[in-house]
Amino acid sequence: MSGEIMTIISALVAAIATPVGAWVGSRLMRAKYQAEVEQLRAEMKDKLAEVKSHELENVRKASDILMESIVPPLKTEITKLRNDVQRLNKALERIWGCPHVDRCPVKHELLRKPKGGEGTDAGRSGGTDGDGGNKRKQHGDKARDDPDGDDGGVDSDGD
């Protein structure tokens, strides 16, 4: 009988140990896979941070290239334009001292009212006075006027 009890006990131990062993093994494997997954996630985060770092570096390099290759030529061009405008202003100021000021075509062009060309609000204001909404007076409100008051007149034929 003692052989039978041993057989029964070993059968019971085998019947219990097999599922318990499988369960313990699956728990250990799951813990192992969880650790691997966490490690892969950490590596992925590191790679994403590295990619973002490279993107930021590329943007910085692009802005440096922009600042080095585009901004200096623009500054040079702006300086040239400012100098040209200053020269033009000086030349325009000298018109009034010219002995030919009465018949000066440049002066007449400057004093003439713009006709719907560049820099006017023609067609936008909806004015009905026939001058495209330009309400500037003919003689009294000019940007540049003859200091003597006798400029040959915009309406006069000074030719």
Side-chain angles (χ1 to χ4, degrees), residues 116-129:
E118 234 177 78
T120 63
D121 292 331
R124 282 191 255 166
S125 66
T128 57
D129 57 353

PDB file of all heavy atoms in Angstrom, residues 116-129:
ATOM      1  N   GLY A 116      -4.533 108.382 -61.209  1.00  0.00           N
ATOM      2  CA  GLY A 116      -4.870 106.972 -61.061  1.00  0.00           C
ATOM      3  C   GLY A 116      -3.706 106.030 -61.262  1.00  0.00           C
ATOM      4  O   GLY A 116      -3.903 104.857 -61.519  1.00  0.00           O
ATOM      5  N   GLY A 117      -2.505 106.517 -61.161  1.00  0.00           N
ATOM      6  CA  GLY A 117      -1.346 105.642 -61.335  1.00  0.00           C
ATOM      7  C   GLY A 117      -0.951 105.030 -60.016  1.00  0.00           C
ATOM      8  O   GLY A 117      -1.750 104.876 -59.097  1.00  0.00           O
ATOM      9  N   GLU A 118       0.306 104.686 -59.930  1.00  0.00           N
ATOM     10  CA  GLU A 118       0.830 104.080 -58.722  1.00  0.00           C
ATOM     11  C   GLU A 118       0.780 105.064 -57.570  1.00  0.00           C
ATOM     12  O   GLU A 118       1.029 106.235 -57.726  1.00  0.00           O
ATOM     13  CB  GLU A 118       2.294 103.696 -58.960  1.00  0.00           C
ATOM     14  CG  GLU A 118       2.569 102.257 -58.663  1.00  0.00           C
ATOM     15  CD  GLU A 118       3.998 101.923 -58.978  1.00  0.00           C
ATOM     16  OE1 GLU A 118       4.877 102.269 -58.174  1.00  0.00           O
ATOM     17  OE2 GLU A 118       4.223 101.313 -60.028  1.00  0.00           O
ATOM     18  N   GLY A 119       0.425 104.563 -56.388  1.00  0.00           N
ATOM     19  CA  GLY A 119       0.457 105.386 -55.189  1.00  0.00           C
ATOM     20  C   GLY A 119      -0.788 106.207 -54.972  1.00  0.00           C
ATOM     21  O   GLY A 119      -0.844 106.998 -54.068  1.00  0.00           O
ATOM     22  N   THR A 120      -1.809 106.042 -55.798  1.00  0.00           N
ATOM     23  CA  THR A 120      -3.046 106.779 -55.574  1.00  0.00           C
ATOM     24  C   THR A 120      -4.115 105.824 -55.136  1.00  0.00           C
ATOM     25  O   THR A 120      -4.020 104.624 -55.310  1.00  0.00           O
ATOM     26  CB  THR A 120      -3.528 107.500 -56.852  1.00  0.00           C
ATOM     27  OG1 THR A 120      -3.823 106.518 -57.827  1.00  0.00           O
ATOM     28  CG2 THR A 120      -2.476 108.468 -57.366  1.00  0.00           C
ATOM     29  N   ASP A 121      -5.160 106.380 -54.595  1.00  0.00           N
ATOM     30  CA  ASP A 121      -6.292 105.576 -54.145  1.00  0.00           C
ATOM     31  C   ASP A 121      -7.396 105.581 -55.184  1.00  0.00           C
ATOM     32  O   ASP A 121      -8.559 105.420 -54.848  1.00  0.00           O
ATOM     33  CB  ASP A 121      -6.839 106.120 -52.820  1.00  0.00           C
ATOM     34  CG  ASP A 121      -5.853 105.907 -51.677  1.00  0.00           C
ATOM     35  OD1 ASP A 121      -5.086 104.941 -51.740  1.00  0.00           O
ATOM     36  OD2 ASP A 121      -5.895 106.713 -50.749  1.00  0.00           O
ATOM     37  N   ALA A 122      -7.088 105.802 -56.441  1.00  0.00           N
ATOM     38  CA  ALA A 122      -8.111 105.878 -57.471  1.00  0.00           C
ATOM     39  C   ALA A 122      -8.859 104.560 -57.549  1.00  0.00           C
ATOM     40  O   ALA A 122      -8.287 103.502 -57.600  1.00  0.00           O
ATOM     41  CB  ALA A 122      -7.476 106.193 -58.822  1.00  0.00           C
ATOM     42  N   GLY A 123     -10.176 104.670 -57.571  1.00  0.00           N
ATOM     43  CA  GLY A 123     -11.014 103.494 -57.696  1.00  0.00           C
ATOM     44  C   GLY A 123     -11.306 102.834 -56.362  1.00  0.00           C
ATOM     45  O   GLY A 123     -12.201 102.032 -56.272  1.00  0.00           O
ATOM     46  N   ARG A 124     -10.582 103.144 -55.309  1.00  0.00           N
ATOM     47  CA  ARG A 124     -10.831 102.503 -54.022  1.00  0.00           C
ATOM     48  C   ARG A 124     -11.764 103.325 -53.148  1.00  0.00           C
ATOM     49  O   ARG A 124     -12.469 102.782 -52.343  1.00  0.00           O
ATOM     50  CB  ARG A 124      -9.518 102.285 -53.274  1.00  0.00           C
ATOM     51  CG  ARG A 124      -8.761 101.111 -53.801  1.00  0.00           C
ATOM     52  CD  ARG A 124      -7.637 100.796 -52.883  1.00  0.00           C
ATOM     53  NE  ARG A 124      -6.429 101.262 -53.527  1.00  0.00           N
ATOM     54  CZ  ARG A 124      -5.276 101.405 -52.928  1.00  0.00           C
ATOM     55  NH1 ARG A 124      -5.171 101.148 -51.671  1.00  0.00           N
ATOM     56  NH2 ARG A 124      -4.230 101.834 -53.576  1.00  0.00           N
ATOM     57  N   SER A 125     -11.732 104.645 -53.296  1.00  0.00           N
ATOM     58  CA  SER A 125     -12.500 105.469 -52.371  1.00  0.00           C
ATOM     59  C   SER A 125     -13.946 105.607 -52.796  1.00  0.00           C
ATOM     60  O   SER A 125     -14.799 105.934 -51.998  1.00  0.00           O
ATOM     61  CB  SER A 125     -11.869 106.851 -52.251  1.00  0.00           C
ATOM     62  OG  SER A 125     -11.974 107.531 -53.493  1.00  0.00           O
ATOM     63  N   GLY A 126     -14.233 105.390 -54.059  1.00  0.00           N
ATOM     64  CA  GLY A 126     -15.605 105.515 -54.527  1.00  0.00           C
ATOM     65  C   GLY A 126     -16.052 106.952 -54.612  1.00  0.00           C
ATOM     66  O   GLY A 126     -17.242 107.231 -54.562  1.00  0.00           O
ATOM     67  N   GLY A 127     -15.143 107.893 -54.702  1.00  0.00           N
ATOM     68  CA  GLY A 127     -15.495 109.315 -54.773  1.00  0.00           C
ATOM     69  C   GLY A 127     -16.175 109.633 -56.088  1.00  0.00           C
ATOM     70  O   GLY A 127     -15.928 109.020 -57.110  1.00  0.00           O
ATOM     71  N   THR A 128     -17.044 110.651 -56.067  1.00  0.00           N
ATOM     72  CA  THR A 128     -17.791 111.018 -57.263  1.00  0.00           C
ATOM     73  C   THR A 128     -17.332 112.350 -57.815  1.00  0.00           C
ATOM     74  O   THR A 128     -17.996 112.935 -58.652  1.00  0.00           O
ATOM     75  CB  THR A 128     -19.299 111.105 -56.945  1.00  0.00           C
ATOM     76  OG1 THR A 128     -19.472 112.035 -55.888  1.00  0.00           O
ATOM     77  CG2 THR A 128     -19.850 109.747 -56.558  1.00  0.00           C
ATOM     78  N   ASP A 129     -16.201 112.860 -57.348  1.00  0.00           N
ATOM     79  CA  ASP A 129     -15.770 114.167 -57.815  1.00  0.00           C
ATOM     80  C   ASP A 129     -14.893 114.080 -59.052  1.00  0.00           C
ATOM     81  O   ASP A 129     -14.366 115.074 -59.501  1.00  0.00           O
ATOM     82  CB  ASP A 129     -15.055 114.939 -56.688  1.00  0.00           C
ATOM     83  CG  ASP A 129     -13.865 114.175 -56.142  1.00  0.00           C
ATOM     84  OD1 ASP A 129     -13.694 113.004 -56.551  1.00  0.00           O
ATOM     85  OD2 ASP A 129     -13.132 114.750 -55.324  1.00  0.00           O
TER      86      ASP A 129
END
